[in-house]
Amino acid sequence: MRELHRYIFKGILGLGLMVMLGTWGCKTEEDARKSYALPTSASEVKWEKTKVQTVVARESDFEAEIFSNGKLKTSRKAHIQFQIGGMIQALPIRNGQYVKKGQLLARIDDASYQLERESAQQRLEKAALEIQDVLLSFGDYAVEDSAQIPAGIWAAAQNKSGLREARINLKKAQLDLTRTRLRAPFSGYVAQLEGNVFQPASQSKPLCFVIDPNKFYVSFPVMESELKKLAIGQPVQVIAPGGKQAYYEGEITEIDPFVDKNGAIQVKAQLAKASKDLIFGMNVQVVIQTTIADQLILPKTALLQRQGRSVVFTLSNDTAYWNYVEVSHENSEEICIAKGIEKGAEVITEGNLNLSHKQVVQTN
């Protein structure tokens, strides 16, 4: 009997625990359901519509831009170098200095070259006296009548007297004397100056360079696929590096008809005018503008990237629609749509960053 009571007691106790646990579990699910309950009617929803701005897709001529990087060079860069030896006596220039055509750049000690010229002058005068005696040995000829002397006799007399050699030596001495001074062959800036006064002048390497800033051009590569968009005389913009971008106008002067191993073609563009902010060898960006007719054009802000593809949202009846598109051309402000939307479509350009397909929106 006791065993029977024990079993009854355990059964009642177990049943009570099950009821308590069940009641607690039901309450927890109910509370959770209330915590994450969704509105059951539209009247309970209070969505704030995304505000957007739109434009109409238009068809027009498109100003495409080709971008490249290049280097500034010049078609007038003079190597300033001594052709004779000597000690540098004057060097009145510095790197970056603007010099005018004919201005003195450097001078070496010319004392020995002055003496050599005087010596050559004396030898010439001596030979001029001796040629008269030589002419008399050939016949009754006088220096004053050199035009009447047969050419063979006159040549022989000059050689025998040393007159011809004396004249050549004098010219060389005069030339060497002028070479003691280096002058600017044209106006420009001094660059890469190497040398100091009281040091020997080098005959193997330039003392400096003179660069003409009015002859600057930029050399840059363009991919072969862009070749058909280029032409001689086509305008370009050159952008110099720096915090404040500066634009310089130019035009294409050369297109090299050779494709390198990277599939690029070298192009040259002459700058329209000089600027103190441009220096030889500077790395610059080049922008080439070309017109493409009859393109479907949108502002660049209309284009988004979703799932690795280009997307544009169109608007119809206050609803945004997701459209995959293909972009054929672009510049700094606009894009050309090759496929995905039609002319006249209303396209969302602002407020489109977080839109989803068929989302209800509000236009500003």
Side-chain angles (χ1 to χ4, degrees):
M1 180 64 70
R2 289 180 180 177
E3 292 294 328
L4 179 61
H5 289 167
R6 189 178 298 115
Y7 284 124
I8 293 172
F9 176 76
K10 288 182 178 180
I12 294 171
L13 183 60
L15 181 61
L17 288 171
M18 289 176 65
V19 171
M20 291 176 64
L21 288 171
T23 304
W24 178 82
C26 290
K27 187 175 181 180
T28 303
E29 289 179 8
E30 185 178 350
D31 290 343
R33 194 176 292 115
K34 287 181 179 180
S35 299
Y36 296 97
L38 296 175
T40 58
S41 64
S43 61
E44 297 181 48
V45 181
K46 294 184 178 179
W47 299 107
E48 183 177 347
K49 294 180 181 178
T50 300
K51 294 181 179 180
V52 299
Q53 290 186 7
T54 64
V55 298
V56 176
R58 59 186 175 86
E59 195 173 84
S60 180
D61 292 346
F62 180 72
E63 297 298 325
E65 293 176 339
I66 302 172
F67 293 89
S68 184
N69 295 312
K71 276 188 175 293
L72 277 182
K73 299 181 180 181
T74 181
S75 56
R76 294 184 80 186
K77 178 184 176 184
H79 290 59
I80 306 301
Q81 182 174 331
F82 282 107
Q83 299 181 50
I84 56 175
M87 195 70 67
I88 298 176
Q89 199 171 54
L91 192 64
I93 57 172
R94 64 183 185 280
N95 277 320
Q97 179 180 342
Y98 186 81
V99 293
K100 295 182 178 181
K101 181 179 179 179
Q103 182 174 332
L104 179 68
L105 304 179
R107 175 170 57 84
I108 59 175
D109 186 2
D110 64 356
S112 62
Y113 296 100
Q114 291 277 12
L115 291 174
E116 182 59 35
R117 186 187 65 172
E118 292 176 9
S119 176
Q121 181 66 42
Q122 290 178 355
R123 289 195 295 271
L124 177 63
E125 292 173 358
K126 181 180 179 181
L129 293 174
E130 291 179 355
I131 195 171
Q132 182 61 62
D133 295 336
V134 173
L135 285 172
L136 290 175
S137 67
F138 284 109
D140 191 16
Y141 299 111
V143 175
E144 294 80 7
D145 301 325
S146 59
Q148 306 299 323
I149 301 173
I153 294 177
W154 178 244
Q158 289 186 88
N159 289 333
K160 190 173 181 179
S161 65
L163 181 63
R164 176 172 293 174
E165 183 179 1
R167 285 173 174 168
I168 293 173
N169 289 336
L170 179 59
K171 287 181 179 180
K172 183 179 181 301
Q174 290 172 334
L175 180 61
D176 285 345
L177 185 60
T178 61
R179 286 174 171 171
T180 61
R181 289 165 170 77
L182 297 179
R183 298 185 180 277
F186 49 79
S187 299
Y189 289 97
V190 176
Q192 294 183 283
L193 174 63
E194 292 186 10
N196 288 295
V197 292
F198 309 121
Q199 289 185 352
S202 174
Q203 295 174 252
S204 60
K205 62 180 182 178
L207 174 72
C208 66
F209 298 92
V210 174
I211 296 172
D212 186 352
N214 294 300
K215 299 294 182 179
F216 272 151
Y217 67 89
V218 58
S219 178
F220 57 96
V222 172
M223 298 308 295
E224 57 183 317
S225 59
E226 306 284 3
L227 178 60
K228 291 183 179 180
K229 301 176 184 177
L230 305 181
I232 300 297
Q234 188 170 353
V236 303
Q237 282 189 328
V238 176
I239 306 173
K244 184 179 180 181
Q245 286 190 332
Y247 294 81
Y248 303 91
E249 302 299 323
E251 66 175 38
I252 294 176
T253 54
E254 292 184 28
I255 301 174
D256 192 350
F258 176 82
V259 181
D260 65 20
K261 63 180 180 180
N262 299 315
I265 296 168
Q266 288 298 318
V267 180
K268 290 183 181 180
Q270 185 76 40
L271 270 64
K273 59 181 180 179
S275 170
K276 61 182 180 60
D277 297 322
L278 299 177
I279 59 175
F280 181 83
M282 177 180 282
N283 295 306
V284 295
Q285 186 180 45
V286 182
V287 182
I288 308 168
Q289 294 186 335
T290 180
T291 302
I292 305 174
D294 303 326
Q295 299 294 307
L296 190 62
I297 301 175
L298 290 176
K300 218 166 187 178
T301 54
L303 186 66
L304 302 171
Q305 293 297 320
R306 298 285 176 87
Q307 301 174 353
R309 296 180 63 182
S310 297
V311 172
V312 163
F313 280 96
T314 53
L315 181 66
S316 179
N317 298 324
D318 294 330
T319 303
Y321 291 90
W322 171 312
N323 303 268
Y324 287 116
V325 296
E326 292 182 9
V327 178
S328 56
H329 306 284
E330 65 178 281
N331 58 28
S332 57
E333 297 180 353
E334 296 177 319
I335 56 174
C336 291
I337 302 299
K339 185 179 179 181
I341 62 171
E342 300 294 331
K343 174 184 176 182
E346 190 174 4
V347 177
I348 298 175
T349 58
E350 292 188 23
N352 53 351
L353 293 179
N354 299 310
L355 290 182
S356 58
H357 185 49
K358 293 186 177 181
Q359 181 176 333
V360 177
V361 295
Q362 179 183 345
T363 54
N364 287 337

